[in-house]
Amino acid sequence: MPIDLTRRELLHLAGAAFALAGCSDSESPPVSRPEPSLPDSGPPAPPTFDHGVASGDPTPSAVILWTRVTPMAGTRPASLAVDWEVSERADFSTLVATGTFVTTAQRDWTVKVDAAGLTAGSAYHYRFRSVGVTSPSGRTRTAPEGPTAQVRFAVCSCSNYAAGYFHAYRAMAARDDLDAVLHLGDYIYEYPDDYYGNLRRYEPSHELITLADYRARYAQCRRDADLQAVHARHPFVVVWDDHELANNASRDGAKEHMPLTEGSWSTRRAAATRAYMEWLPIREQPDGRIFRALSFGDLVHLVMLDTRLWGRDLQPRDRQAAADPQRQILGADQERWMVSELTRTGARWKVLGQQVLVGQFRGFGFDYLDVWEGYPAARARLFDAIRTMGVSDVVVLTGDIHASIAMDLTEDPTDPQRYDPMTGRGSVAIELVTPGISSPALPFLQGADPETLRRAMPHMKYLEATRNGFVLLELTADRAVGTWMYVGDVSLPSDATLDEGPSFMTRSGDNRLQRNSMR
């Protein structure tokens, strides 16, 4: 029987041997598989800390601390002991927590510790030492506990190394007032050189397939000075989207993964997720899940979701297929957990950090079904849970689409009986979408007719599809305010421009957006 190959598969056949050679069992879970010991040739040589430091997932009493040691060229140590220190003082004259972590090549020489016993709502400095070498120091902050007047997040996504410079990271690093940076995915891109950006060359130059590939791409991005600066300044709370794996990924496959030339999806997925856990300051769960909740005093309950891998069915081929009520974007278990987190918390604001658009997104002449629009039954269940269980003050944060969007969330925004775009009546929550750090605008957004969009999406209050930056989210007892912060030309390494864009808010109990009149 003849085999039908897509154009893209033909392009990849030349590299098939290389790609498949990298998909060995040695690069698949379980990650606890021991690595063969190498002969010890004497005292270890001093390493370097080429990839900076980072922190993440702050709780009132603990925070994840991260670094990576790079063994000296030409040496092959079996392991390296890395000491870590936490201090309330920048000069580390007194220490409040210390420990030692032994890293090996099996985990790509990364170090990740859960520093506990800290004080809520406090700033700390941290650093690492190994074989007489000291890392750069970082600053982090624990989450507040109890009555809390204000929480402030920077919200970002889509940091395409090849497409532009990371000015937005630089701007975040310059701030002193953030409780955390929320990164909603596409921290790296898996593409080869010249496929989606050619401003900076990739390492490796080919598409990422193997564990070594993904590790090398993280290592390259983490050498970027702006990314190192923001990691060293603020704790991150992260989730993956698709490009940490492959374009339009789901639980059982991806749009651009080709088993014929790239091996099994399960092997590639295992390699990509393992590298992610090694290189990001995320608190790991035994089963590999990334959905989790973090509280910031009595003000914010942050619920981070996985709309990409955990329970997502493959994207539907059309709206008829999408209408199947059994289709899942979260998975039944994550969906139950999410509803429980929304209903059990006593915090004023329930913030959902997730990857893809929740609100209806139409008027472009085609069906955009990689987002919640392709899983309407799951979206209806989310809205129904919010409405019937009396959950108020829900803020949804979204990345993925390389655009700035503010919208009310409602079951049918075009039905005047269910939603009034003038007053916001019928809205159950709000959605704020962050632009890309460096990823370019999507062509279909740039060419859309504004009047067509307004008719198709009366619930959308703001759309800007050409600028890069991030969202500054400020929450107090009476309101949540999202302000778009725009950076200059990401194709220019020295453009330090930072412009404050539009600001939208919702008052506690309103569950709808309006322009922020208190700027």
Side-chain angles (χ1 to χ4, degrees):
M1 173 180 287
I3 299 175
D4 293 327
L5 300 179
T6 67
R7 179 177 178 274
R8 192 165 181 275
E9 284 177 323
L10 288 170
L11 290 173
H12 277 262
L13 278 174
F18 174 85
L20 291 174
C23 297
S24 65
D25 288 341
S26 65
E27 293 181 348
S28 304
V31 297
S32 60
R33 181 184 298 153
E35 182 179 83
S37 298
L38 297 170
D40 191 350
S41 56
T48 54
F49 291 90
D50 297 341
H51 302 95
V53 298
S55 67
D57 279 4
T59 71
S61 62
V63 66
I64 299 295
L65 304 179
W66 180 95
T67 194
R68 181 182 188 267
V69 290
T70 302
M72 180 177 289
T75 66
R76 302 181 68 199
S79 63
L80 284 170
V82 182
D83 299 324
W84 55 271
E85 302 172 340
V86 179
S87 177
E88 294 175 330
R89 299 177 180 273
D91 63 2
F92 292 86
S93 56
T94 59
L95 302 179
V96 298
T98 61
T100 300
F101 187 98
V102 178
T103 186
T104 68
Q106 183 186 6
R107 55 175 299 115
D108 201 20
W109 302 105
T110 59
V111 174
K112 191 190 296 189
V113 298
D114 200 343
L118 307 180
T119 301
S122 300
Y124 290 96
H125 302 269
Y126 63 96
R127 65 186 182 186
F128 302 85
R129 297 176 185 270
S130 184
V131 197
V133 178
T134 302
S135 75
S137 61
R139 174 185 175 274
T140 191
R141 177 176 291 276
T142 52
E145 189 172 39
T148 301
Q150 181 173 269
V151 169
R152 186 179 286 109
F153 299 128
V155 186
C156 63
S157 73
C158 303
S159 36
N160 184 347
Y161 185 88
Y165 293 95
F166 294 159
H167 301 335
Y169 286 147
R170 186 191 316 169
M172 295 179 216
R175 302 186 69 102
D176 289 326
D177 58 353
L178 300 179
D179 290 278
V181 173
L182 311 184
H183 199 297
L184 303 181
D186 294 345
Y187 184 94
I188 63 166
Y189 278 68
E190 86 285 10
Y191 291 135
D193 274 344
D194 302 316
Y195 190 80
Y196 190 48
N198 58 12
L199 189 67
R200 296 194 280 185
R201 312 307 290 176
Y202 272 138
E203 298 174 11
S205 61
H206 57 264
E207 184 173 358
L208 309 184
I209 303 295
T210 70
L211 177 59
D213 291 343
Y214 286 101
R215 284 171 165 174
R217 187 67 54 84
Y218 279 108
Q220 179 187 31
C221 292
R222 293 297 286 271
R223 291 194 300 270
D224 181 274
D226 295 327
L227 181 52
Q228 286 197 17
V230 70
H231 269 304
R233 190 62 177 169
H234 306 295
F236 269 53
V237 180
V238 301
V239 287
W240 55 49
D241 193 19
D242 53 344
H243 290 293
E244 288 89 348
L245 295 97
N247 186 40
N248 285 3
S250 66
R251 180 187 59 219
D252 298 320
K255 177 182 178 181
E256 294 189 14
H257 176 77
M258 295 164 294
L260 180 64
T261 57
E262 296 173 340
S264 75
W265 171 245
S266 62
T267 299
R268 183 177 184 180
R269 171 179 167 169
T273 57
R274 176 173 169 179
Y276 185 90
M277 292 299 178
E278 290 172 345
W279 279 85
L280 273 294
I282 183 174
R283 185 171 282 107
E284 298 179 33
Q285 304 298 317
D287 54 7
R289 70 179 64 190
I290 63 166
F291 56 93
R292 62 208 189 278
L294 296 166
S295 290
F296 290 77
D298 62 354
L299 189 62
V300 176
H301 194 56
L302 177 63
V303 180
M304 302 296 286
L305 300 178
D306 182 355
T307 64
R308 187 52 73 179
L309 283 186
W310 183 263
R312 177 195 272 251
D313 293 318
L314 288 167
Q315 292 84 350
R317 62 184 180 278
D318 52 35
R319 284 195 177 276
Q320 182 177 358
D324 181 352
Q326 302 303 313
R327 289 181 49 75
Q328 295 277 354
I329 191 169
L330 296 176
D333 54 351
Q334 185 182 182
E335 189 174 296
R336 287 191 300 269
W337 171 85
M338 174 191 67
V339 172
S340 174
E341 292 296 321
L342 290 175
T343 55
R344 74 172 180 82
T345 181
R348 174 62 55 87
W349 296 101
K350 279 66 68 176
V351 178
L352 295 182
Q354 53 96 56
Q355 296 82 349
V356 295
L357 281 164
V358 174
Q360 295 85 349
F361 205 62
R362 302 164 184 172
F364 300 98
F366 67 95
D367 292 329
Y368 187 36
L369 301 179
D370 182 55
V371 297
W372 286 72
E373 188 84 342
Y375 305 80
R379 181 171 61 194
R381 291 192 298 271
L382 169 59
F383 291 173
D384 184 63
I386 293 173
R387 195 181 295 281
T388 61
M389 296 184 180
V391 180
S392 186
D393 299 332
V394 176
V395 177
V396 177
L397 303 176
T398 298
D400 178 69
I401 198 171
H402 314 171
S404 304
I405 301 171
M407 62 174 68
D408 289 338
L409 294 179
T410 186
E411 290 85 351
D412 186 350
T414 60
D415 181 355
Q417 301 301 313
R418 307 197 72 171
Y419 175 69
D420 183 346
M422 298 301 295
T423 66
R425 175 187 53 81
S427 178
V428 299
I430 68 164
E431 183 170 15
L432 306 176
V433 183
T434 182
I437 292 288
S438 58
S439 297
L442 301 179
F444 74 88
L445 285 173
Q446 296 183 65
D449 176 61
E451 184 56 36
T452 299
L453 297 185
R454 279 192 290 268
R455 289 195 302 269
M457 298 184 288
H459 59 306
M460 189 168 65
K461 308 305 178 184
Y462 176 60
L463 170 63
E464 203 293 321
T466 64
R467 304 194 69 179
N468 295 100
F470 62 98
V471 170
L472 182 65
L473 177 63
E474 300 171 284
L475 304 113
T476 60
D478 65 328
R479 62 183 187 145
V481 180
T483 304
W484 278 264
M485 307 297 292
Y486 293 122
V487 297
D489 188 344
V490 298
S491 70
L492 302 176
S494 60
D495 191 336
T497 305
L498 180 66
D499 298 325
E500 186 173 310
S503 183
F504 285 80
M505 62 174 285
T506 182
R507 295 188 183 278
S508 179
D510 280 357
N511 304 314
R512 65 181 180 88
L513 280 169
Q514 57 183 302
R515 282 273 187 173
N516 180 23
S517 60
M518 301 177 65
R519 298 178 68 176

